[in-house]
């Protein structure tokens, strides 16, 4: 059952104002929780401010606030998480397929089952032979339109369940086939073996973890992602647009909101898969 709304005029007015919002904005996702967890906490914070007692954003029997995010960030990653509210949820598909920027710190010499630092080490190899020039030369092969195999531990689904969930339950999961992805730019910002830092701009469906894993193999070694930050998604940047946790208020959302075009507010469309109600 949905939470109860306070009888005071102020909170009811705040809830009505919150429910009337339509558009896109960005919040900061910290390292640790899933993107869905961050969105639910954000939503519950707004509902509580609006006077809803014991809000539970995961219960869908009665819709209080339509909200979704425009692309999953790994639990270990941080940065820009684009949020759609009201009819803004219909615009999230453009965020999923649009341009994104990341800064990734990779570590040479160790491979993990998740392709990042949260996983178990599955291989260790020498990396002392790798130079900065070697890496810069190999990066050229990963720029432009390329084919990429997604990680086994990912938000992709099999029979309605995420691959990462199936793996954690002990199920056998086959790798998804390679698929076309686009890398607009890829530069080596820092090279201090075993660590290196990449600046990446890519299109939708691209996995930085797969890139770093493939790069390690191309260099006759192995590698995994140690840190990952999404610095830009669509028009939203980490530096200028994200609302940090202390800014999770109705006033801040209204100030940050990029409104929907009028036609998007008039028409109904199917609900995005990343929408919480």
């Amino acid at each position: 059952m949905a939470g109860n709304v306070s009888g005071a005029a102020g909170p009811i007015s705040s809830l009505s104002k919150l429910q009337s919002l339509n558009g896109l904005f960005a919040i900061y996702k910290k390292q640790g929780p899933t993107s869905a967890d961050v969105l639910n906490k954000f939503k519950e914070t707004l509902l509580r401010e609006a006077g809803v007692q014991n809000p539970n954003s995961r219960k869908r029997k009665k819709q209080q606030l339509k909200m979704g995010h425009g692309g999953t960030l790994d639990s270990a990653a941080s940065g820009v998480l684009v949020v759609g509210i009201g009819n803004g949820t219909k615009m999230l598909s453009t965020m999923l397929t649009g341009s994104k920027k990341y800064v990734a710190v990779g570590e040479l010499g160790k491979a993990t089952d998740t392709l990042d630092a949260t996983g178990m080490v599955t291989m260790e190899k020498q990396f002392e032979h790798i130079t900065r020039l070697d890496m810069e030369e190999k990066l050229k092969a990963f720029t432009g339109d390329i084919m990429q195999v997604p990680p086994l531990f990912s938000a992709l689904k099999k029979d309605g369940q995420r691959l990462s969930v199936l793996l954690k339950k002990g199920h056998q999961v086959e790798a998804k086939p390679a698929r076309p992805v686009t890398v607009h730019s890829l530069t080596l910002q820092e090279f201090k073996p075993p660590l290196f830092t990449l600046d990446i701009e890519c299109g939708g469906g691209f996995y930085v973890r797969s890139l770093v894993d493939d790069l390690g193999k191309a260099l006759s070694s192995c590698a995994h992602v140690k840190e990952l930050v999404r610095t830009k998604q669509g028009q939203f940047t980490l530096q200028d647009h994200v609302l940090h946790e202390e800014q999770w208020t109705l006033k801040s959302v209204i100030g940050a909101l990029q409104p929907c075009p009028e036609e998007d507010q008039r028409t109904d469309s199917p609900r995005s898969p990343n929408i919480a109600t």
Side-chain angles (χ1 to χ4, degrees):
M1 184 177 292
N4 295 319
V5 180
S6 168
I12 292 175
S13 175
S14 295
L15 182 61
S16 297
K17 183 173 279 190
L18 186 60
Q19 291 171 326
S20 71
L21 298 179
N22 297 285
L24 296 175
F25 56 97
I27 61 176
Y28 178 73
K29 181 205 169 297
K30 64 183 179 180
Q31 198 174 18
T34 67
S35 296
D37 287 340
V38 171
L39 181 67
N40 284 321
K41 183 178 180 181
F42 172 73
K43 184 177 176 182
E44 287 170 9
T45 300
L46 291 181
L47 287 171
R48 194 171 286 113
E49 181 198 11
V52 178
Q53 304 300 317
N54 303 315
N56 187 338
S57 60
R58 296 184 186 274
K59 293 187 178 180
R60 301 187 175 189
K61 289 183 179 179
K62 183 179 179 182
Q63 181 174 314
Q64 290 182 319
L65 189 59
K66 189 177 181 183
M67 191 178 287
H69 68 75
T72 300
L73 263 177
D74 294 335
S75 297
S78 63
V80 179
L81 187 67
V82 175
V83 175
I85 188 169
N87 286 326
T89 55
K90 300 169 188 174
M91 302 163 66
L92 291 174
S93 59
T94 61
M95 291 293 112
L96 286 167
T97 57
S99 173
K100 307 170 183 69
K101 288 186 178 181
Y102 297 91
V103 173
V105 177
E107 182 176 352
L108 291 164
K110 291 181 181 179
T112 71
D113 55 359
T114 60
L115 311 188
D116 65 15
T118 66
M120 299 285 291
V121 175
T122 56
M123 183 189 301
E124 294 191 41
K125 295 187 78 171
Q126 296 293 316
F127 60 86
E128 289 80 7
H129 63 281
I130 302 169
T131 67
R132 184 184 185 106
L133 285 175
D134 289 336
M135 185 168 285
E136 288 178 335
E137 188 63 31
K138 292 297 183 185
L139 286 175
K140 294 176 183 177
F142 296 99
T143 305
D145 295 325
I146 64 171
M147 298 298 290
Q148 185 186 67
V149 177
L152 284 178
F153 283 84
S154 71
L156 298 178
K157 294 183 178 181
K158 178 187 177 184
D159 300 329
Q161 290 198 64
R162 291 190 175 194
L163 298 184
S164 56
V165 173
L166 291 171
L167 282 165
K168 288 173 184 176
K169 290 179 178 178
H171 294 276
Q172 291 290 322
V173 175
E174 291 184 8
K176 291 281 188 179
R179 57 187 188 173
V181 293
T182 301
V183 181
H184 301 295
S185 66
L186 179 58
T187 55
L188 180 61
Q189 295 296 319
E190 193 169 35
F191 184 73
K192 293 183 178 179
L195 302 182
F196 60 95
T197 303
L198 300 175
D199 202 359
I200 305 152
E201 182 175 5
C202 57
F206 180 83
Y207 280 91
V208 176
R209 287 179 290 139
S210 290
L211 165 71
V212 170
D213 181 63
D214 290 341
L215 179 61
K217 292 172 182 173
L219 290 163
S220 301
S221 182
C222 55
H224 68 276
V225 173
K226 191 172 178 66
E227 295 176 28
L228 180 61
V229 181
R230 184 191 281 162
T231 58
K232 187 173 187 286
Q233 185 175 9
Q235 70 266 43
F236 300 99
T237 66
L238 182 60
Q239 183 174 344
D240 297 327
H241 299 106
V242 298
L243 299 178
H244 291 264
E245 203 162 328
E246 64 272 16
Q247 299 170 298
W248 289 2
T249 64
L250 175 60
K251 182 179 179 181
S252 294
V253 171
I254 291 172
L257 195 68
Q258 299 287 320
C260 300
E262 286 187 17
E263 59 270 20
D264 286 340
Q265 297 194 41
R266 287 197 304 265
T267 58
D268 274 335
S269 65
R271 194 172 66 179
S272 162
N274 291 320
I275 295 172
T277 57

